[in-house]
Amino acid sequence: MTPMPFLIIETGQPVASMRRHGSFAHWIRVAAGLDRDATVVVDVEHGHDLPSREGFAGAIVTGSAAMVPDRHPWSERTADWLRDAAHAGLPLFGICYGHQLIAHALGGEVGPNEVGREMGTVRIHLHPAAQGDPLFAGLDDPFAAQATHLQSVLRPPEGAVVLAHNDHDACHAFRWGEVAWGVQFHPEFSAGHMRGYIRARHDALAREQRCGKRLAGEVHAAPQARRILRRFVAHARGRGHAPVS
């Protein structure tokens, strides 16, 4: 029996200088270990309609240069779809913007991080609750992850469990119920992707009196973060035909 595919909800594309390496959907497929025919990609940023959630093992929401609090119509439509999907039991995994959008969809608050930009290979610390989580249990504490963002989940949705944090971001990962996860970091980024993003943000970093060259030199691989994404795929497939009607 052919496994059900995953829906990848594209909310944006990589910075222009990194698009030669493919789309966010491509990076996620590779990092998650998914074949092309194991995914369906929908570009909601450009107005493509989301399908019925029936027949999908789960949905993964990409990052974006957009901002959730701007409440673009396409973003709000996607939030509505995600809210219904979460309540129906469809496994969800949000990355960066996707993390924030799932939090917003479920009643959380998203806004500018008062510390400013987080960028580069960062250290993520686990809360005790992570040890009982199917995606985070047994990870190194702390573990390395790639990150680039200006906004954060300021207040998780009611009933959510915060799984990970660091000095910059109090909610680097959360789980809502038994089916929805959000991670502020980028498990799909390789070290090369991260260095490319730092180069693309050179001028902005300089304005913030930060040295992009030094930041790029501190980038290193983050296999534990990628492991979380692959665990989501395995967990969602293991749920089989979850109730999504």
Side-chain angles (χ1 to χ4, degrees):
M1 182 175 177
T2 303
M4 290 187 293
F6 284 82
L7 178 65
I8 299 181
I9 301 174
E10 277 191 324
T11 62
Q13 296 296 328
V15 290
S17 59
M18 294 297 292
R19 290 176 192 171
R20 67 184 185 278
H21 300 294
S23 65
F24 282 143
H26 171 70
W27 298 4
I28 288 168
R29 276 198 304 265
V30 171
L34 290 167
D35 294 333
R36 183 179 293 273
D37 61 3
T39 62
V40 173
V41 180
V42 177
D43 183 354
V44 293
E45 184 190 25
H46 290 101
H48 295 182
D49 291 334
L50 282 159
S52 166
R53 54 185 176 265
E54 298 287 346
F56 290 103
I60 302 171
V61 192
T62 74
S64 178
M67 299 295 179
V68 170
D70 290 342
R71 300 200 173 195
H72 298 293
W74 62 264
S75 184
E76 291 295 283
R77 287 193 297 271
T78 305
D80 290 343
W81 190 96
L82 292 168
R83 181 185 308 110
D84 291 344
H87 283 286
L90 182 71
L92 303 175
F93 189 87
I95 297 171
C96 197
Y97 187 90
H99 157 77
Q100 296 169 16
L101 189 60
I102 291 173
H104 165 65
L106 295 171
E109 179 185 355
V110 176
N113 189 301
E114 63 180 12
V115 182
R117 185 188 310 273
E118 182 175 43
M119 192 163 216
T121 306
V122 302
R123 289 160 62 90
I124 308 293
H125 297 271
L126 298 175
H127 284 296
Q131 294 310 317
D133 184 82
L135 273 56
F136 284 77
L139 295 180
D140 294 344
D141 187 11
F143 67 91
Q146 316 299 353
T148 173
H149 66 110
L150 287 164
Q151 298 203 340
S152 297
V153 173
L154 305 179
R155 178 176 52 80
E158 184 176 354
V161 178
V162 178
L163 300 169
H165 67 102
N166 64 7
D167 291 342
H168 188 278
D169 200 317
C171 183
H172 243 294
F174 73 89
R175 184 187 73 247
W176 182 88
E178 300 301 320
V179 296
W181 284 264
V183 297
Q184 183 59 66
F185 53 88
H186 282 272
E188 82 282 20
F189 273 29
S190 67
H193 295 144
M194 190 72 258
R195 292 189 189 100
Y197 257 76
I198 291 170
R199 287 193 295 270
R201 298 286 185 250
H202 178 272
D203 291 347
L205 289 165
R207 288 193 296 272
E208 297 163 6
Q209 298 183 329
R210 301 174 67 186
C211 178
K213 185 176 181 180
R214 184 176 67 183
L215 200 60
E218 294 170 349
V219 169
H220 57 85
Q224 298 269 304
R226 181 163 294 197
R227 186 178 176 190
I228 294 165
L229 180 57
R230 294 199 171 206
R231 281 182 169 185
F232 171 75
V233 168
H235 178 73
R237 281 181 167 164
R239 286 177 59 87
H241 294 273
V244 295
S245 61

